[in-house]
Amino acid sequence: FQEVLKILPDSAGVRILMGKAHEKKKENEKALQLYKEAVEKNSLFLEAHNALADYSLKTGDKKAALRSMEKAAEISPSNANRQIMIGQLALETEKDPGKARTAFKVAMKQMPQRAEEVTEIYLKHGYAEEAEEFFRDSLTQNMNVHVYNRLGINFRNKKNWEKTVEEYIMAFQLELDLEEMIA
């Protein structure tokens, strides 16, 4: 890699490969330095931001991972996986449901079938109202017994017994309707 770098001194790609090699050798400081250099050498190279984000996640630096993913999203905003991770990290590191909502909405435009996953992320981090909003959105796209059941659990946790029963009845009714369609 050193020889290739002599030929291509501004190559972000070579630096990423070198960083991965240093990671394998457990030379984490050198790996981090190379990933940062890759971003500096070519700030529009998506793979450089991805490598830095992945490394940051591996080493537990979730705030750095979030920053790298946000930069990658500026370059390529339509990656649903990245947007979901941005939303999750925004909730984990910054307790910022607004930033998470923005990222999740971008992700849902690309992959609406992942709304349930987003709601589970919200629930995991204690954002029940936001989870409910995404559950409702997913119901408009795909009626699902699991969604009604999770809404019931959400209301049960909030001790809202009337809404709990309503959601469980909806889940039960949908299950009966599905069984009749199959029979």
Side-chain angles (χ1 to χ4, degrees):
F1 289 133
Q2 290 294 347
E3 292 301 315
V4 174
L5 210 52
K6 288 178 187 174
I7 299 167
L8 301 168
D10 293 329
S11 174
V14 171
R15 283 176 172 76
I16 292 169
L17 293 172
M18 289 174 72
K20 290 181 185 210
H22 283 285
E23 267 191 82
K24 293 279 186 197
K25 293 168 58 177
K26 307 287 187 221
E27 296 172 352
N28 293 335
E29 290 299 317
K30 186 65 178 169
L32 178 59
Q33 174 190 343
L34 286 160
Y35 293 139
K36 287 181 178 180
E37 285 178 20
V39 169
E40 289 170 13
K41 291 292 180 183
N42 189 346
S43 64
L44 295 177
F45 187 39
L46 193 58
E47 194 56 39
H49 295 287
N50 289 341
L52 184 55
D54 290 344
Y55 178 79
S56 297
L57 281 174
K58 286 182 205 170
T59 59
D61 190 349
K62 292 180 179 182
K63 287 184 181 188
L66 176 58
R67 286 190 304 271
S68 293
M69 286 184 188
E70 288 174 324
K71 296 222 188 232
E74 289 173 17
I75 298 165
S76 176
S78 61
N79 182 301
N81 292 330
R82 183 181 309 112
Q83 292 290 351
I84 289 172
M85 184 58 76
I86 288 171
Q88 182 172 340
L89 289 172
L91 294 175
E92 285 180 23
T93 64
E94 298 178 353
K95 310 290 187 238
D96 188 342
K99 183 186 282 190
R101 182 180 305 109
T102 299
F104 290 148
K105 284 188 177 189
V106 172
M108 291 307 99
K109 286 180 185 173
Q110 300 302 314
M111 299 183 79
Q113 66 272 24
R114 294 188 62 191
E116 288 182 56
E117 179 183 346
V118 169
T119 57
E120 294 296 336
I121 292 169
Y122 272 130
L123 288 173
K124 177 181 175 188
H125 296 289
Y127 293 93
E129 280 71 31
E130 289 83 354
E132 182 180 349
E133 175 187 334
F134 270 87
F135 273 135
R136 297 283 178 207
D137 287 347
S138 72
L139 285 174
T140 63
Q141 307 209 3
N142 179 21
M143 293 184 68
N144 186 315
V145 172
H146 173 73
V147 173
Y148 285 115
N149 187 52
R150 289 297 292 153
L151 280 168
I153 292 168
N154 179 46
F155 286 119
R156 186 181 70 206
N157 290 340
K158 293 193 291 189
K159 299 190 182 335
N160 184 336
W161 308 119
E162 186 176 322
K163 288 280 202 179
T164 300
V165 171
E166 286 176 22
E167 298 305 332
Y168 286 148
I169 289 172
M170 291 297 292
F172 181 68
Q173 186 61 51
L174 183 58
E175 183 68 23
L176 288 176
D177 292 346
L178 290 172
E179 286 179 15
E180 286 179 16
M181 288 173 45
I182 294 172

